[in-house]
Amino acid sequence: MESVPHIAVVDDHRDIRDLVGKYLTQQGYRISVAESGSALRRLLERNAPDLIILDIMMPGEDGLSVCRQLRRSTELPIIFLTAMADDTDRIIGLELGADDYLIKPFNPRELLARIRAVLRRVNSLPPQREMPKAKTISFERWSLDVGRRELLGGDGVGVPLSTAEFRLLKAFLEHPGMVLSRDQLMDLTVGRSADSFDRSIDNQVSRLRKKVEVDPKNPSIIKTHWGGGYSLCAEVERA
Amino acid sequence: MESVPHIAVVDDHRDIRDLVGKYLTQQGYRISVAESGSALRRLLERNAPDLIILDIMMPGEDGLSVCRQLRRSTELPIIFLTAMADDTDRIIGLELGADDYLIKPFNPRELLARIRAVLRRVNSLPPQREMPKAKTISFERWSLDVGRRELLGGDGVGVPLSTAEFRLLKAFLEHPGMVLSRDQLMDLTVGRSADSFDRSIDNQVSRLRKKVEVDPKNPSIIKTHWGGGYSLCAEVERA
DNA sequence: TTGGTACGGCACAACTCTGCGACAAACCGC
DNA sequence: GCGGTTTGTCGCAGAGTTGTGCCGTACCAA
């Protein structure tokens, strides 16, 4: 989570999703919403969040079973946010592997504080001894050092990236080959949706191409899909 | 944490200590009790627990300041257990770096569930290898004497560092090359999270640069990453 | 070919983020 | 408590980045 933490809000009530989503967006988080467990699973496939806020009482699959299932495969932090007020419910929720449990009606600032507490714990980075960096993603003749936010050329020369460029490139590298619409790219980089005549992504792509492509006029790495978006066209290797 | 988790219970009321202690012992934990912040500190020296349960309202030093102080030096999980029921109190507690917050009167089973949730998270974390305690860390033409909290120049001249400066520098030296966000730096230095308009880190960086950089206006050791944070840009060597 | 739309790139304006001096609040040893 | 030190806040100036307008070009559908 080098950029903006990404939080998924799962609740069958639109107003709650909107409320929580809006508040957390305001607080600088990137938000995805889902109205059911299956919607959450679709979301996970596309774009895994750093934390999940989960309602319990939902029609169909309930939050507890969603949690149980998530825990089988992941360690994603989960915070229950629900109207069930009974001690026992809280205990069951926590026993299922949730990280925290907050009761509706809730104070948004408390939700925020709890989110931060959980993320703080999850992200606490262990001290590193050496410079050799952990996570780098290689493609073509480049390698992106995610921790250091630096793009290294095959010749070992570093190209400085701006924040937006870094996020954009990271978004591409995390979805290699996939055609990403401007809207998705906006979502992945700044966490807001593009209004219809937004050309900012085009611009960022252009800027990024200038740094990454051999011949920016004839891009070979970041391909344009007319009317669709862009895609990264390269073998990527994570190390 | 080898086999049995060790939990410290800090509360000025004997009955609470006994109650919680007994219950948790029954549940298979190893318990230590302390009736005040200073008692806790003595306990920490002898035998560090895996988790601390902390009351807020205590005569003398209150739980919040105990928490603040603990966070400066450790990442020990802390759960507040207290009668203060106000939202705001909870938020403050969590912002100070606590992991959870439970209100008296409480259901022991909920306490247990929350303890488990926190420990589960902590233990599932990175292999959290203990860093061999280095006495001094060298970089560029400096060496930091960690024990004496003193910065020695190549010419043997010592530069005094304030506490915050020392912590900041240490944080950088322990994560060389990494881009650290203000939030992470807050975490690493004072153990609390930064609210969005916090500029204190900028200031500390500025102050530190004045002591460390050859030309503070054109920093070469502590680099700024626009929109991202700061990073230490130097070979470090631990001894 | 022609019209309509989407994209590329340039340049500039607006904006956001940062550096840092100054000040005030908090802290600390006495 | 008291004076010195340290640390957080405010505010402004300056730096760097990002979005927008514009126009030329590429692409698609008749």
Side-chain angles (χ1 to χ4, degrees):
Chain A
M1 195 179 66
E2 291 70 24
S3 33
V4 182
H6 178 200
I7 297 181
V9 180
V10 188
D11 198 306
D12 57 316
H13 295 95
R14 193 177 211 299
D15 47 346
I16 297 274
R17 293 201 300 272
D18 289 354
L19 180 74
V20 176
K22 204 166 143 199
Y23 180 71
L24 292 178
T25 304
Q26 220 175 309
Q27 296 299 322
Y29 292 98
R30 192 153 68 79
I31 302 299
S32 301
V33 295
E35 77 290 347
S36 67
S38 49
L40 174 65
R41 268 186 284 280
R42 281 196 297 280
L43 196 149
L44 288 176
E45 280 167 26
R46 285 207 320 278
N47 188 5
D50 301 300
L51 185 147
I52 297 172
I53 295 173
L54 191 55
D55 187 24
I56 292 193
M57 275 190 294
M58 295 189 292
E61 191 178 15
D62 89 350
L64 294 174
S65 83
V66 174
C67 174
R68 198 176 306 126
Q69 206 161 2
L70 280 175
R71 272 290 168 275
R72 278 206 267 275
S73 51
T74 75
E75 296 209 334
L76 280 178
I78 295 173
I79 297 180
F80 277 121
L81 175 61
T82 167
M84 298 185 126
D86 196 349
D87 285 356
T88 320
D89 296 319
R90 290 210 287 280
I91 293 163
I92 293 173
L94 293 169
E95 287 296 334
L96 276 179
D99 288 84
D100 208 338
Y101 198 113
L102 192 54
I103 295 165
K104 297 182 200 170
F106 63 100
N107 178 336
R109 289 191 49 213
E110 180 170 357
L111 174 61
L112 180 64
R114 291 196 181 265
I115 289 173
R116 281 192 181 153
V118 172
L119 288 180
R120 189 192 312 133
R121 184 56 70 189
V122 173
N123 290 331
S124 66
L125 28 141
Q128 324 199 242
R129 253 200 110 149
E130 301 293 339
M131 285 286 243
K133 266 310 311 100
K135 203 171 153 199
T136 69
I137 312 177
S138 309
F139 63 104
E140 294 286 303
R141 66 199 178 292
W142 296 101
S143 71
L144 181 72
D145 185 324
V146 179
R148 207 174 287 177
R149 299 200 170 198
E150 199 184 30
L151 187 61
L152 278 170
D155 46 7
V157 182
V159 176
L161 293 177
S162 79
T163 320
E165 287 159 358
F166 170 75
R167 289 197 188 142
L168 184 61
L169 181 55
K170 185 154 152 290
F172 278 124
L173 292 173
E174 281 170 354
H175 305 273
M178 204 179 296
V179 178
L180 299 166
S181 71
R182 275 153 245 271
D183 224 8
Q184 285 175 303
L185 288 169
M186 279 302 259
D187 207 28
L188 290 168
T189 53
V190 282
R192 81 184 130 81
S193 53
D195 26 16
S196 23
F197 283 121
D198 205 329
R199 301 290 311 285
S200 57
I201 287 290
D202 301 53
N203 224 317
Q204 292 299 358
V205 169
S206 166
R207 284 172 176 139
L208 189 52
R209 276 176 177 158
K210 265 186 232 163
K211 297 194 175 175
V212 165
E213 299 278 359
V214 186
D215 175 11
K217 302 264 179 186
N218 293 63
S220 67
I221 300 180
I222 301 175
K223 251 172 49 182
T224 303
H225 293 256
W226 210 88
Y230 300 93
S231 73
L232 180 89
C233 182
E235 284 292 318
V236 320
E237 193 184 338
R238 318 180 68 109
Chain B
M1 194 172 68
E2 339 65 70
S3 43
V4 181
H6 176 200
I7 297 182
V9 181
V10 188
D11 199 306
D12 56 316
H13 296 94
R14 193 175 210 299
D15 47 345
I16 298 272
R17 292 201 301 271
D18 289 354
L19 179 74
V20 176
K22 201 164 144 199
Y23 180 72
L24 293 178
T25 304
Q26 227 173 321
Q27 297 299 323
Y29 291 99
R30 192 151 63 83
I31 301 299
S32 303
V33 294
E35 78 289 347
S36 67
S38 48
L40 173 64
R41 267 185 287 280
R42 280 196 298 280
L43 196 149
L44 287 176
E45 281 166 26
R46 289 203 318 276
N47 188 3
D50 301 300
L51 185 147
I52 297 171
I53 296 174
L54 190 55
D55 186 24
I56 291 194
M57 275 190 295
M58 296 187 291
E61 193 177 13
D62 89 350
L64 294 174
S65 82
V66 174
C67 173
R68 196 178 308 129
Q69 208 157 5
L70 279 174
R71 271 290 168 276
R72 295 205 170 136
S73 48
T74 74
E75 295 208 335
L76 280 178
I78 295 172
I79 297 181
F80 277 121
L81 175 61
T82 166
M84 298 187 124
D86 196 351
D87 285 357
T88 319
D89 296 319
R90 290 209 287 282
I91 293 163
I92 293 173
L94 294 167
E95 286 293 330
L96 276 180
D99 289 84
D100 206 339
Y101 198 115
L102 192 56
I103 294 165
K104 295 181 198 169
F106 63 99
N107 179 336
R109 290 190 49 214
E110 179 171 359
L111 174 61
L112 179 63
R114 291 197 180 264
I115 289 173
R116 283 194 184 144
V118 171
L119 288 180
R120 187 193 315 132
R121 181 56 66 191
V122 171
N123 292 330
S124 73
L125 276 183
Q128 202 66 301
R129 64 221 139 101
E130 193 62 30
M131 218 181 349
K133 281 229 174 69
K135 272 219 318 279
T136 69
I137 311 177
S138 311
F139 63 104
E140 294 284 301
R141 66 199 179 293
W142 296 101
S143 70
L144 182 72
D145 184 326
V146 179
R148 317 184 68 180
R149 308 205 152 190
E150 204 185 25
L151 187 61
L152 280 170
D155 47 8
V157 181
V159 176
L161 292 178
S162 78
T163 322
E165 287 160 357
F166 169 76
R167 290 208 189 106
L168 185 61
L169 182 55
K170 186 152 153 288
F172 278 125
L173 291 172
E174 282 172 354
H175 306 274
M178 277 277 235
V179 176
L180 300 168
S181 70
R182 276 154 243 271
D183 227 359
Q184 289 173 309
L185 288 169
M186 280 300 258
D187 244 13
L188 293 168
T189 53
V190 285
R192 87 182 128 83
S193 46
D195 46 27
S196 17
F197 291 119
D198 207 325
R199 302 288 310 284
S200 56
I201 289 291
D202 301 51
N203 248 304
Q204 293 299 356
V205 168
S206 170
R207 285 167 180 146
L208 188 53
R209 275 177 178 158
K210 267 187 230 162
K211 297 194 176 177
V212 165
E213 298 277 359
V214 186
D215 175 10
K217 301 267 177 185
N218 293 62
S220 67
I221 300 180
I222 301 175
K223 248 174 43 183
T224 302
H225 292 254
W226 208 90
Y230 300 92
S231 74
L232 180 89
C233 184
E235 285 292 321
V236 320
E237 194 183 338
R238 339 182 100 250

